[in-house]
Amino acid sequence: MKFRKSEILFFALRNTKLRIGVFIVALFAFLAIFGPYFAKYEPQDFAGPGYNPPSGEYWLGTTTFGRDVFSQFVYGLRSTFLVGFVGGSIATFIGLFVGFLSGYKGGLADELLMMFTNIVLVIPTMALLIILAAYLKYRGVFLESVFIGFTAWPWTARAVRSQTLSLKTREFVNLARITGMKPLKIIVVEILPNMLSYVFMVFILQFGGAILTAATLDFIGLGPTQGISLGLMMQQAVLWNAIQLGMWWWAVPPGIAITAIVGAMYFMNTGLDEVFNPKLREM
Amino acid sequence: MGKYLKRKIIIYLLTFFFAVTIDWVIPRFMPGDPIRTLLSRAAMRTEAMDLLYNYYNKVFSLDLPLWKQYVNFWVSLFKGDLGTSVYLFPSPVFEVIKRAVPYDILLLVPAILLSWIAGNKFGAFAARKKRLDNTILPIWYVITATPYMWLGILLAWVFGVVLGIFPISGAYSFSMSPSLSWEFIWDYLKHWILPFGSLFIVQLGGWAIGMRNMIIYELESEYSRYMEAMGAPAKLIRKYAFRNAVLPQITGLALQLGVIVAGALATEVVFSYPGIGYLLLQGILNGDYFLIQGCFLFIILGVLIANFFIDIIYVIVDPRVRRGMSGETA
Amino acid sequence: MIELKDITKVYSLGAFGKRKLTAVDNVSFSIGEGKIISLIGESGSGKTTIGKMMLKLIPITKGQILFQGKDLSLFKGEKLKEYYRYVQGVFQDPFSSFNPIFKADRIFELVKSEFFPELTGREWQIHVLDALESVGLNPKTVLNKFPHQLSGGQLQRMLIARALLLDTKFLVADEIISMLDASTRIDVLNILAELKKGGLSILFITHDLSLGYYISDESIILYRGSVMEAGKTEKVFSTPLHPYTRMLLDAVPRIDRKWTTFEIPERKAVGSDTIGMCKYYDRCPLATKECEAQGLIKVEEDHHVACWRWNDV
Amino acid sequence: MALKIKDLRIYYQTLRGDVKAVDGISFQVKDGEIMGLAGESGCGKSTLSNALILLKPPMKYISGEVFLNDKKLPIDNYEAMRANRFRGVSIIPQYAMNALNPIRKLKQIISDLLEHHGESFVKMRDMIEERLKLVELDEKVLDLYPIELSGGMNQRMVMVISTLLNPSLLLADEITSALDVSSQKAVSKMIVEFRDRKIVRSVIFVTHDISILYQVADSIMIMYTGKQVERAPTETIVKNPLHPYTKLLISSLPEVGIKYSQAPLKGIPGRPPELLNPPEGCRFKDRCPVASEKCDEEPPLVEIEPGHQVACWKVGAIDD
């Protein structure tokens, strides 16, 4: 127990799940950042003849309309990471805020906040987004991320609340109170630092969740009206019968990327859990 | 126990109220004239356009005071009047959705229940041995990270296009019409299996992971240790732990419903399966506002009812709730 | 110094606070300067609740607490901070009193930043070293360490030192040695006794009668939220008048005397809340139908008992 | 002889190496004896008692032998030990208040546990009800869930369950620590009664509280950092301790009748050494007021008089 910090680092570096997860995410992040510089065409440009399978010129082939799939893919990856980051951050933040407030304040504030949380929890996120998206004329990737963030927080709020409740009973919170500290300061200075590892794990899950939600949203036609995303690519592929026509290079890569990124995120999460929670460590 | 259910029912009623209100508020408080917005996005012939303009005007009745608009909205809702579809003009939305719902139920209910049961069994099984756990766990993660529609695309491509075993579009062949004949049922099942498969497989991963984590936690618990100290065989300890681990999985099922429904919508789109998801896509592509709204309300209603059933089951299996000891809150 | 007047605490439990639980029922006592008072009772007697109310960690349902003549409910915001300058507490669990992810001496830093922001680091360091010395700690062994690197006894002493950094006049010590090892607990008690000589008043909360006897001037025996017996420690212990006090004294495991019998009046999960009857009614060997709830009777100077049959015993 | 332990070593595996929690312990417990096992936290008393029934990682068996009723107890063989658990050795664990699955009915739990030892709940029902009376529980609790009982009632329920098969050895691990005086007395009474009624043959009563042991134990063994320092009949340990550690420990106990203002007591200065790399020789030497160079060598456990063993070079060297 003595070398707490270095011990955690030791386990983090040694944990295979964490290492694999980080590697995969980093790989795709690299593609998202630098891929567009290698892409020869703009994603919506007509790059050449349609129905082209992958070749030296069109690395991932072309679509029915002759757009370059590789360009769409790397730009789409960017949107994916943007959605994950923005949506995940917003959801994590709201979840933390509501959870802390509800758990620390207790009483009526807690009752009301939890009732609201439960209501948002039961309403299918997708349904809410459908109504919102149906009325917006122009939607960008960023706006989509914000919507996702604003609907994905309830489970985080509930989890953070129960963690706060248990931390609140620890005497160091009482000690901070008789040191004359204000509630907000106690939350930030005493409670939050104890939950950093947990918050980080929540963020990873929200990151992955936002990506999946965005992909689904795009797929059923509620995605961004401008720009490209992996979900939109899949939607286009299905709409223009890419499957029936055997154009696997159009329909398959976006899904592989999403699955790999989100799967790697979940994997990282389990790895981190083992790092932070000694009970789960492999001896 | 009565208190627990009462509390839940209040939440559900509030949720429904909240959802309907959102449904009413959004078109009215968006910038611009909602009717113009809707019409501009509806792809249709001009003669229908005038008809529709008048119709919308009547339904939205923007000249009335707000509270009256709101009351009218609820009144027509209770009459089952969800407006008229633009996409399938002039069918009432209620009728359109009513035709779609059975396909959803027959697809979703088996997919959800079977994947839940199988996921729990597999998850508990894999947690038994460290080696087994380490090999299977990555597979679960990949499966659960797969977007529903993409798995649908893969299945359609492999089984429909490459192998050509299953049809990949619609709920039954064009040449058929729904009847209770063996021939139809067989045809229906052939169309059903791929959408079912993609829903089943993706969910399976999530449940298996959930069960694995919960049962590992339960096996570490003090009651498991005590049983071990009393010489109880591993099988009995696992049986006890499983029962405890299933409880949060039931709650998890309620929490996941929304996500599952979203996945189902997307899956239906892949397979042009005539459920609500497919309708919704058409509604969106055609700017059919009333259809979208109707789908929205139906989805919410469905999720709420399912949630309620799950609550009743929860009360039956968890003595903490049954005997009025808090247990799971709200 | 500090006075409790008819303090009552009712907890609301369940959804929207429908169930009520009276944890403290009309308790009054006062603590003079330089006195140690023991608050003794079984678990659920409300002793910790009283301590928390005196530290303003939980609100009072009914009654008044006066600190140097001023009503505690008037202390809010900056005034409350001033209150904590004089009134401090140390809690039962030393490990939970420290935030596990920070170094243990951070508790001193927090006192500085909240109360003495104007002092320089060096000036403050001198104060800290002084305080550590008066609780018998070697700065080298406790500063710059994480809580898990220190023993429970060292941590509790640091918490007492922390209180000394302020102008603490009254200290609530809530079961502060119950989680310490036998070899170190007595030293912590001795520190409290030494501090008392310097004028500090202490409320010593415990379930262990021998500890109460060892250190306190006065003792209060609490049962289910009510005072059963109170007075000078020697009087309460040498001539216990309440059947409950006697039962407790008999139950204390001692190393100079073996229990004569193992019999003990059974404790019900939920006591008989027969309205108006003595709270100890259902366990009392002497109970009669006339045993109504009883206020404290003054038997002699510094000795009060809440039993009308004290004389029959 | 109910229990005989020879040179038992149980280590804890940690990242930084083995923690020598039980380091060469030998002792015996007679039929009908309640042996108190006392020491400060971290002295290995809980490890010792847990190793006798459920030895699993991170606990590691190093060496030593255990005999129960003159038969070797295979504590290092998890599977072979299974048949001995409950019937041969049983435990009332420290966590007894949470030891029962909260969502199973008590009779279900009992019947499942019994079944795998070839007994039946139905056949034993009368006896179970009798035992419940012994611990002052109503037979109706059998139809309840553990969550419906208080912590104390759960503990007493565990006391009943753990002793149902009349084990030869009962391990009572810190069962009075979380209780107040009146409940401590009630629980102690039950343990003594189990022994008196021959429900259990012998008991190891693990606690840090010597004054409780004085009330219930026949003999007391004092442990310090993985070693036994002294073992003697209860009266001897309390009235005539020989090891400096025992002496200091006993003299630091406050009692009713002792006041700071009249006779201040003293604790033991310092902290026990880490068990990862314990110092050579006597492990108490750094805190011992009478230590000398001799103590750099490990003192053997010597029988001073029948039933009284001490591990100290200086036995008798400090006067009271």
Side-chain angles (χ1 to χ4, degrees), chain C residues 42-43 149 181 183 186-187 190 193-194 211 213-214 216 234 253-259 261 263 267, chain D residues 40-41 180 182 185 189 211 214-215 252 254-260 264-268 271 287:
Chain C
E42 296 171 296
S43 53
Q149 293 169 283
D181 273 318
S183 69
I186 202 73
D187 293 321
N190 289 346
E194 281 303 312
L211 301 179
Y213 187 81
Y214 179 71
S216 65
E234 286 81 353
R254 307 169 60 142
I255 50 170
D256 57 340
R257 201 167 74 205
K258 290 208 177 184
W259 288 327
T261 157
E263 291 316 315
R267 188 153 163 219
Chain D
E40 297 179 73
S41 52
D180 44 39
S182 51
K185 191 170 176 181
K189 169 193 162 185
S211 38
Y214 183 66
Q215 310 297 326
S252 74
E255 292 170 50
V256 175
I258 298 180
K259 266 191 103 67
Y260 176 79
L265 302 170
K266 275 237 272 299
I268 309 174
R271 284 183 77 176
R287 299 171 80 188

Side-chain angles (χ1 to χ4, degrees), chain A residues 35-200:
Chain A
Y37 298 109
F38 294 105
K40 295 180 195 134
Y41 310 94
E42 287 297 307
Q44 305 294 14
D45 276 357
F46 294 97
Y51 304 103
N52 254 11
S55 63
E57 175 63 20
Y58 310 106
W59 292 351
L60 282 176
T62 60
T63 70
T64 313
F65 309 103
R67 295 190 175 108
D68 182 37
V69 176
F70 179 75
S71 304
Q72 294 201 335
F73 182 70
V74 288
Y75 278 99
L77 264 181
R78 277 193 176 181
S79 324
T80 291
F81 275 97
L82 182 74
V83 168
F85 185 76
V86 175
S89 302
I90 293 177
T92 308
F93 182 79
I94 301 179
L96 283 178
F97 184 78
V98 174
F100 278 137
L101 203 66
S102 186
Y104 189 82
K105 275 279 171 194
L108 191 65
D110 181 34
E111 293 272 355
L112 293 178
L113 277 174
M114 275 303 112
M115 188 162 267
F116 179 63
T117 304
N118 285 327
I119 287 174
V120 182
L121 195 68
V122 186
I123 294 185
T125 310
M126 196 57 60
L128 210 58
L129 291 171
I130 287 165
I131 288 293
L132 273 171
Y135 271 92
L136 285 173
K137 239 182 190 153
Y138 304 107
R139 300 180 299 265
V141 177
F142 188 76
L143 198 63
E144 183 183 30
S145 318
V146 173
F147 281 153
I148 290 173
F150 271 96
T151 48
W153 56 268
W155 69 262
T156 304
R158 274 169 56 130
V160 168
R161 172 177 173 270
S162 66
Q163 293 256 324
T164 309
L165 280 179
S166 88
L167 279 173
K168 198 175 78 167
T169 61
R170 306 271 277 279
E171 299 288 15
F172 64 77
V173 172
N174 280 332
L175 199 73
R177 287 177 66 192
I178 62 172
T179 312
M181 282 159 72
K182 303 237 157 41
L184 192 67
K185 190 167 177 190
I186 295 177
I187 289 178
V188 175
V189 178
E190 300 283 339
I191 295 182
L192 184 66
N194 270 289
M195 287 177 57
L196 277 183
S197 59
Y198 186 72
V199 168
F200 188 57

Side-chain angles (χ1 to χ4, degrees), chain D residues 126-289:
Chain D
D126 289 343
M127 194 185 97
I128 293 169
E129 286 174 5
E130 196 181 307
R131 299 274 172 96
L132 285 174
K133 270 195 212 103
L134 198 66
V135 300
E136 291 168 351
L137 284 175
D138 195 293
E139 63 188 80
K140 284 192 209 112
V141 296
L142 291 174
D143 285 308
L144 297 180
Y145 294 93
I147 36 157
E148 294 177 278
L149 308 184
S150 69
M153 289 164 91
N154 265 308
Q155 189 190 29
R156 279 182 276 158
M157 197 67 224
V158 168
M159 293 174 78
V160 169
I161 296 175
S162 291
T163 52
L164 270 184
L165 296 183
N166 299 355
S168 298
L169 174 67
L170 177 67
L171 307 160
D173 188 6
E174 295 276 14
I175 57 172
T176 55
S177 304
L179 306 174
D180 44 39
V181 280
S182 51
S183 317
Q184 279 181 348
K185 191 170 176 181
V187 166
S188 308
K189 169 193 162 185
M190 291 160 197
I191 294 291
V192 171
E193 202 130 321
F194 284 151
R195 191 261 321 259
D196 290 350
R197 296 190 180 203
K198 303 211 159 41
I199 290 171
V200 299
R201 275 175 91 169
S202 55
V203 180
I204 297 183
F205 196 109
V206 182
T207 178
H208 63 274
D209 191 343
I210 294 179
S211 38
I212 291 264
L213 291 182
Y214 183 66
Q215 310 297 326
V216 299
D218 302 307
S219 70
I220 297 178
M221 180 165 113
I222 308 281
M223 275 182 81
Y224 184 75
T225 54
K227 299 269 185 194
Q228 65 210 107
V229 295
E230 190 164 2
R231 163 88 191 267
T234 301
E235 281 295 323
T236 314
I237 283 278
V238 172
K239 301 282 151 67
N240 279 311
L242 290 177
H243 196 284
Y245 176 67
T246 319
K247 285 185 177 185
L248 289 171
L249 202 59
I250 303 264
S251 70
S252 74
L253 295 177
E255 292 170 50
V256 175
I258 298 180
K259 266 191 103 67
Y260 176 79
S261 47
Q262 291 146 10
L265 302 170
K266 275 237 272 299
I268 309 174
R271 284 183 77 176
E274 281 230 26
L275 288 182
L276 206 53
N277 279 308
E280 292 285 307
C282 173
R283 290 184 183 177
F284 187 59
K285 66 182 175 193
D286 292 336
R287 299 171 80 188
C288 183

